């Protein structure tokens, strides 16, 4: 067992960036210096004495070459060691390790020990360590607090002034039902949320902003950004940087809110946010200078950076502790602060929608639509190449900003899909999260698959930009439907019929269709809406109106109706816009759509979100017969054989028939002879580059089939790990709920999901055919592809 993890950067509780990396012989002096600088009290709490030799002895123990049975991590801020964590395996219990921590005196209460503990836990879990033990003096309240708050189940034993602490490390193997692991991951996520928000306040709540590259030429990007910040009324300190500052004083304003136009980045004070709009060749120098001046975050507008330049830019930001938006982005905006650091043609209206877009142009269009509808923007980020700040960060920010009531995303890829899914699932439980899908993304993922996976995390998915705006209009202004039953009131009978047909097509039930006839009065139309809203079993209303010379103001009737808290959507048949807003009662406004189909589609999206939010969360079954250790040993053996026969690192390869059969038996999935009767299915495990490991289910394709399967028979997909709810949804999405016995098939899917989650070396698995019949489910044939895998922890707190 050796320390092989590379250096990473992570955030402390106050948003400060630190480097976490393994210790080595070259760190002796730095580790010794940190311990020598510790106060006598701190030294006593760490070593139980105040020996002069403690610092040197500890430095020798920590700063040495990697060796089996031990690990040591350092935390560095500004290239200075500020924290140390280590473990040593106990000889009598090789699955246990004793841990120790030390933090520099001036860095206490910032979360360093907790962060080091998390990284030590992750490393230990990947090296078959199942339990940590630690000895702590009773007066060491800070360290006892670290262990108590970590989210780990700590057992204490008191002996002569010392607590002997024992805490099992959570893992899917030792905690198959998930509560300990889930509790630990929830505690880690809460810490990450606080740290991330603290670091992002420099971007989305800055007290000072600099525009680097403001030009004298009207219409230039840097000048447009500067003009937008001025016009927005930003009240913080504003600086501009341009090498021709002396000549540009008149054009740029000379004094900007009392601050000079500066000639060089090196003249800047340590501002919160710097917006960089300089030619690509100058970006790296500007970023380095910003870091040296103590700038806390960058938004890099500039496009055209090479892959090498992008890597250097990110490394510079990490080294100096700066968060980075971009490059190749359109900027950021916080309308409530008057901050419009974009080059948009029109300002965003302050409001409740958080918006993150990888496509800046589409982002500007979305801002315009949501501003026109009166929904407005809480904060907007065009993340471009998203080297650092991503949709995960934005969800964490909106979760705590106290302003955002729904989130809108357009992201083409995810660096950490499992963390995104966990974050989106938590945020979606509190507010709607919406996205739009293209037919295929840049990595080739099918839109049907991605839609299912977004919805697994509670994300409301739309297939077109217009649908995104229409669904957002409803979820931003109306209550989430408590069910799928709709009452339709229309003064045009045929339009009511079209709405009912659309409901049937989109999974909504129709309680009633009321045709008021064309010349209905406004009062009668309102009373009809109120009667339907009061009916038992009605969850939402569709009000369709066509003004005629014989009717009153039906729009006013819709807005005045008391719908008893049930959501209502209007359809104004002569309206040219696809969606606009009507005033409503209280602070509720009513979205009005141009056609019944558009209105019902938006309502169906909202009802689907409501159903997801109301359903109980699934759980992971235990399966005590699963033999994970045997399965891992089998795969290790197969890969070692291939390594011995291939000169280069082996490419993915297929297991032999006996290996395949034995691996499946480890998970309670024995191969069987072909039954005489049943439905032929295919179950697959694949690695989707966008989302991670997928389990898919579908009807087995007949070799002679020349036409694509109908929608109900398309493969359904879910991201691992699979819960019992996921397995049931897979069967329903594949159109099989009424065709096969669900219980045995769900059990098979859950076992396959367990295999895929525990064995990341399995890059592809296909069970085909799987026969689902009245007597159960049988796997007739299988093939499994494996490849070497470097263990990674998708939930470890670290920056990209």
């Amino acid at each position: 067992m050796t320390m092989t993890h590379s250096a990473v950067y992570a955030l402390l509780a106050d948003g400060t960036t630190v480097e976490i990396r393994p210790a080595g012989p070259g760190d002796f002096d730095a580790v010794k210096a940190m311990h020598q600088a510790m106060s006598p009290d701190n030294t006593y709490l760490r070593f139980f004495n105040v020996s002069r030799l403690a610092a040197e002895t500890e430095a020798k123990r920590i700063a040495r070459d990697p060796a089996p049975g031990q690990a040591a991590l350092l935390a560095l801020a500004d290239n200075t060691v500020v924290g140390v964590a280590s473990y040593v395996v106990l000889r009598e219990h090789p699955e246990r390790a004793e841990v120790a921590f030390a933090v520099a005196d001036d860095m206490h209460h910032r979360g360093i020990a907790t962060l080091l503990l998390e990284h030590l836990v992750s490393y230990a879990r990947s090296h078959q360590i199942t339990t940590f033990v630690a000895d702590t003096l009773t007066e060491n309240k800070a360290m006892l607090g670290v262990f108590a708050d970590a989210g780990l189940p700590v057992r204490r034993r008191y002996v002569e002034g010392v607590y002997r602490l024992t805490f099992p490390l959570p893992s899917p193997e030792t905690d198959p039902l998930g509560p300990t692991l889930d509790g630990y991951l929830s505690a880690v996520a809460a810490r990450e949320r606080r740290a991330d928000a603290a670091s992002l306040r420099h971007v989305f709540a800055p007290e000072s902003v600099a525009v680097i590259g403001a030009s004298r030429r009207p219409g230039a990007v840097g000048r447009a950004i500067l003009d937008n910040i001025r016009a927005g009324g930003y009240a913080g300190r504003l600086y501009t940087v341009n090498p021709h500052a002396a000549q540009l004083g008149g054009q740029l304003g000379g004094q900007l809110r009392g601050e000079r136009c500066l000639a060089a980045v090196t003249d800047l004070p340590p501002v919160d946010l710097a917006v960089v709009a300089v030619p690509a060749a100058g970006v790296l120098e500007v970023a380095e200078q910003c870091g040296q001046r103590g700038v806390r975050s960058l938004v890099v507008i500039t496009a055209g950076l090479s892959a090498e330049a992008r890597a250097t830019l990110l490394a510079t930001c990490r080294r100096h502790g700066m968060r980075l938006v971009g490059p190749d982005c359109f900027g950021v905006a916080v309308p409530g602060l008057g901050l419009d650091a974009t080059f948009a043609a029109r300002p965003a209206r302050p409001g409740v929608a958080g918006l993150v877009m990888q496509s800046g142009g589409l982002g500007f269009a979305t801002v315009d639509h949501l501003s026109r509808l009166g929904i407005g923007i809480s904060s907007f980020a065009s993340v471009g190449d998203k080297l650092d700040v991503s949709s995960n960060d934005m969800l964490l920010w909106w979760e705590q900003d106290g302003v955002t009531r729904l989130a809108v995303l357009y992201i083409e890829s995810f660096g950490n899909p499992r963390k995104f899914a966990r974050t989106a699932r938590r945020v979606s439980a509190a507010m709607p999260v919406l996205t739009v899908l293209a037919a295929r993304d840049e990595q080739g993922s099918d839109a049907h698959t991605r839609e299912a996976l977004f919805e697994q995390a509670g994300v409301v998915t739309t297939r077109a930009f217009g649908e995104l705006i229409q669904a957002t209009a409803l979820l931003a202004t109306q209550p989430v439907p408590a069910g799928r039953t709709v009452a339709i009131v229309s003064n045009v009978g045929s339009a009511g019929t079209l709405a009912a047909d659309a409901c049937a097509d989109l999974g909504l039930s129709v309680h009633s269709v009321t045709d008021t006839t064309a010349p209905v009065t406004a009062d009668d139309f309102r009373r009809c809406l109120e009667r339907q809203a009061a009916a038992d079993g009605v969850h939402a209303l569709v009000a369709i109106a066509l003004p005629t010379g014989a009717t009153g103001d039906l729009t006013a009737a819709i807005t005045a109706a008391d719908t008893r808290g049930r959501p209502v959507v209007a359809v104004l048949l002569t309206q040219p816009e696809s969606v606009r807003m009507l005033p409503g009662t209280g602070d509720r406004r009513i979205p009005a759509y141009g056609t019944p189909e558009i209105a019902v589609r938006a309502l169906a999206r909202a009802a689907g979100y409501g159903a997801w939010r109301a359903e109980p969360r699934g759980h992971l079954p235990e399966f005590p017969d699963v033999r994970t250790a045997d399965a891992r040993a089998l795969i290790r053996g197969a890969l070692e054989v291939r390594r011995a026969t291939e000169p280069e690192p082996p490419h993915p390869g297929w297991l032999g028939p006996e290996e395949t059969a034995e691996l499946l038996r480890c998970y309670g999935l024995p191969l069987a002879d072909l039954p005489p009767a049943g439905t032929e299915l295919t179950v697959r495990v694949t690695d989707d580059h966008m989302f991670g490991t997928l389990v898919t289910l579908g009807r087995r394709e007949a070799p002679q089939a020349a036409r694509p399967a109908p929608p109900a028979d398309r493969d359904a997909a879910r991201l691992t790990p699979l819960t019992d709810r996921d397995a049931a949804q897979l069967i329903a999405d594949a159109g099989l709920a009424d065709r096969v016995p669900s219980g045995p098939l769900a059990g098979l899917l859950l076992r396959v999901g367990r295999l895929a989650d525990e064995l990341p070396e399995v890059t592809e698995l296909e069970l085909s055919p799987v026969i689902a019949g009245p007597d159960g489910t049988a796997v007739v044939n299988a093939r499994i592809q494996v490849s070497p895998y470097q263990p990674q922890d998708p939930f470890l707190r670290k920056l990209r």
Side-chain angles (χ1 to χ4, degrees):
M1 185 192 318
T2 58
M3 199 70 188
T4 57
H5 282 196
S6 59
V8 299
Y9 290 89
L11 297 171
L12 298 181
D14 61 359
T16 302
T17 300
V18 293
E19 181 184 5
I20 305 292
R21 64 167 176 82
D27 297 308
F28 175 83
D29 290 339
V31 173
K32 180 181 176 181
M34 187 199 87
H35 286 87
Q36 285 179 328
M38 289 165 56
S39 68
D41 287 345
N42 199 5
T43 300
Y44 176 74
L45 292 176
R46 168 61 186 91
F47 299 108
F48 301 4
N49 62 58
V50 288
S51 169
R52 295 179 179 179
L53 300 177
E56 182 165 356
T57 302
E58 183 69 353
K60 288 179 179 178
R61 187 182 75 85
I62 294 294
R64 58 182 178 176
D65 289 320
Q70 65 183 37
L73 293 174
L74 304 180
L76 296 94
D78 295 326
N79 291 319
T80 301
V81 174
V82 294
V84 176
S86 63
Y87 75 66
V88 177
V89 170
L90 303 180
R91 290 183 179 180
E92 63 276 20
H93 297 290
E95 78 286 356
R96 294 187 168 207
E98 184 169 6
V99 295
F101 300 84
V103 176
D105 283 5
D106 60 345
M107 295 295 285
H108 284 199
H109 309 297
R110 298 176 68 179
I112 290 178
T114 302
L115 183 62
L116 284 168
L117 173 60
E118 291 175 16
H119 280 254
L120 210 58
V121 166
S122 179
Y123 182 81
R125 286 173 56 191
S126 70
H127 287 75
Q128 292 73 56
I129 305 297
T130 63
T131 306
F132 276 170
V133 297
D135 289 335
T136 305
L137 292 171
T138 55
E139 57 264 46
N140 194 348
K141 305 300 183 185
M143 204 64 232
L144 289 171
V146 168
F147 293 134
D149 297 338
L152 297 169
V154 181
R155 296 194 294 269
R156 297 186 181 191
R157 185 164 58 91
Y158 178 76
V159 179
E160 297 182 351
V162 176
Y163 278 119
R164 181 71 168 180
L165 307 176
T166 303
F167 35 104
L169 306 187
S171 70
E173 294 78 40
T174 61
D175 183 31
L177 292 180
T180 303
L181 178 60
D182 192 65
Y184 174 67
L185 293 181
S186 295
V188 171
R191 291 190 286 270
E192 181 175 44
R193 188 159 63 248
R194 291 190 293 269
D196 211 68
S199 73
L200 291 176
R201 74 181 187 275
H202 302 301
V203 181
F204 298 106
E207 296 180 1
S208 52
V209 176
V211 180
I212 303 173
S215 167
R216 75 170 75 192
R217 180 169 55 88
V221 169
R223 177 62 180 268
I225 292 170
L226 177 61
D227 289 344
N228 282 350
I229 294 175
R230 283 172 160 176
Y234 173 66
R237 298 186 302 278
L238 180 60
Y239 304 85
T240 63
V241 177
N242 189 289
H244 307 293
Q247 299 95 321
L248 296 179
Q251 290 89 342
L252 293 179
Q255 294 288 321
L256 295 176
R257 302 192 185 278
E259 301 294 343
R260 292 185 303 117
C261 176
L262 305 174
V265 176
T266 53
D267 296 330
L268 274 174
V271 298
D272 282 339
L273 174 65
V275 183
V276 179
V278 302
V283 167
L284 298 183
E285 181 182 11
V286 165
E288 177 63 33
Q289 291 173 341
C290 284
Q292 292 174 0
R293 296 300 298 166
V295 172
R296 297 176 178 87
S297 63
L298 297 184
V299 173
V300 178
I301 307 295
T302 309
L305 272 65
S306 67
E308 182 180 2
R310 291 197 299 271
T312 302
L313 173 62
L314 181 59
T316 300
C317 290
R318 292 287 179 260
R319 190 170 65 253
H320 292 291
M322 298 183 292
R323 295 308 304 265
L324 169 65
V325 178
D328 191 12
C329 74
F330 283 33
V332 299
V334 189
L337 298 179
L339 177 63
D340 183 4
T342 75
F343 52 97
R346 288 173 294 278
R349 174 174 177 165
V352 299
L355 181 60
V356 58
M357 294 277 172
Q358 208 165 340
S359 166
L362 197 62
F364 282 0
T366 306
V367 167
D368 281 352
H369 283 292
L370 299 187
S371 296
R372 171 182 61 83
L373 291 169
I375 297 168
I377 304 297
S378 59
S379 53
F380 162 71
S382 163
V383 292
D385 291 337
K386 61 183 184 65
L387 298 185
D388 177 22
V389 174
S390 67
S391 55
N392 281 8
D393 297 286
M394 298 308 300
L395 288 173
L396 294 174
W397 175 258
W398 294 325
E399 191 176 15
Q400 58 76 55
D401 70 358
V403 179
T404 304
R405 295 214 307 258
L406 78 166
V408 181
L409 322 174
Y410 180 77
I411 300 296
E412 295 159 3
S413 63
F414 296 90
N416 190 333
R418 291 192 64 174
K419 183 176 285 188
F420 169 80
R422 187 177 180 88
T423 302
R425 188 178 296 115
R426 185 185 66 249
V427 175
S428 293
M431 70 173 76
V433 179
L434 301 94
T435 192
V436 61
L437 301 177
R440 299 188 74 82
D441 72 355
E442 62 184 17
Q443 295 165 311
S445 299
D446 176 75
H448 174 68
T449 299
R450 288 180 289 127
E451 182 173 26
L453 295 174
F454 273 129
E455 290 180 350
Q456 186 181 358
V459 177
V460 179
T461 54
T462 63
R463 291 297 191 95
F465 179 65
E467 289 182 23
L468 176 69
I469 302 303
Q470 294 148 14
T472 301
L474 193 158
L475 286 166
T477 57
Q478 291 290 301
V480 176
R484 295 182 178 272
T485 302
V486 178
I488 301 169
V489 177
S490 174
N491 75 330
V492 179
S494 56
T497 301
L498 290 173
D501 290 345
C503 288
D505 291 340
L506 294 167
L508 299 178
S509 300
V510 177
H511 175 273
S512 58
V513 180
T514 303
D515 180 4
T516 64
T517 72
V520 64
T521 67
D523 283 344
D524 286 345
F525 196 84
R526 175 182 55 79
R527 282 192 288 267
C528 189
L529 278 173
E530 291 175 343
R531 282 195 300 272
Q532 294 302 315
D536 290 338
V538 171
H539 302 121
L541 295 104
V542 178
I544 306 175
L546 175 70
T548 71
T551 62
D553 186 351
L554 299 187
T555 299
I558 295 170
T559 59
D562 178 7
T563 59
R564 302 191 175 210
R566 291 175 171 82
V568 57
V569 297
V571 178
L572 304 182
L573 293 172
T574 58
Q575 173 180 298
E577 305 97 333
S578 65
V579 60
R580 67 182 179 94
M581 287 296 177
L582 306 179
T585 56
D587 62 349
R588 293 287 182 190
R589 289 167 296 147
I590 298 172
Y593 300 92
T595 69
E597 295 81 3
I598 292 176
V600 170
R601 188 183 298 115
L603 190 57
R605 301 285 189 197
Y609 169 64
W612 176 87
R613 201 168 67 171
E615 72 182 11
R617 299 281 83 90
H619 72 275
L620 300 171
E622 185 171 359
F623 293 134
D625 61 320
V626 166
R627 296 182 285 122
T628 304
D630 292 345
R632 287 177 171 162
L634 186 154
I635 288 181
R636 281 198 302 270
L639 290 174
E640 286 171 3
V641 168
R642 297 188 63 235
R643 287 190 187 97
T645 58
E646 297 184 13
E648 299 294 331
H651 298 292
W654 298 98
L655 295 180
E658 291 300 322
E659 294 171 317
T660 297
E662 177 58 24
L663 187 64
L664 292 176
R665 281 194 291 269
C666 289
Y667 283 86
L669 297 166
L671 294 176
D673 294 331
L674 182 66
T679 302
E680 294 193 6
L681 307 173
T682 296
V683 176
R684 292 186 178 91
V685 170
T686 56
D687 182 29
D688 183 281
H689 294 293
M690 182 176 184
F691 287 96
T693 304
L694 307 178
V695 175
T696 61
L697 169 67
R699 297 287 297 271
R700 190 187 187 208
E701 296 181 2
Q704 67 273 20
R707 294 180 301 174
D713 290 333
R714 289 185 302 182
D715 285 0
R718 280 293 184 274
L719 188 68
T720 62
L722 290 186
T723 67
D724 56 345
R725 299 288 303 180
D726 295 325
Q729 196 61 49
L730 266 174
I731 295 170
D733 289 350
L736 298 169
D738 299 325
R739 302 185 187 184
V740 301
S742 293
L745 180 56
L748 180 143
L749 292 170
L750 289 167
R751 289 176 179 272
V752 169
R754 174 90 173 259
L755 182 156
D757 200 44
E758 292 182 347
L759 305 178
E761 297 88 352
V762 173
T763 53
E764 187 173 343
L765 176 149
E766 182 180 86
L767 309 181
S768 184
V770 172
I771 308 298
D775 298 325
T777 302
V779 180
V780 177
N781 194 22
R783 59 178 190 154
I784 299 174
Q785 186 184 69
V786 297
S787 65
Y789 173 78
Q790 180 66 38
Q792 297 181 7
D793 184 345
F795 303 111
L796 183 64
R797 272 204 292 158
K798 61 180 180 180
L799 292 168
R800 289 154 59 95

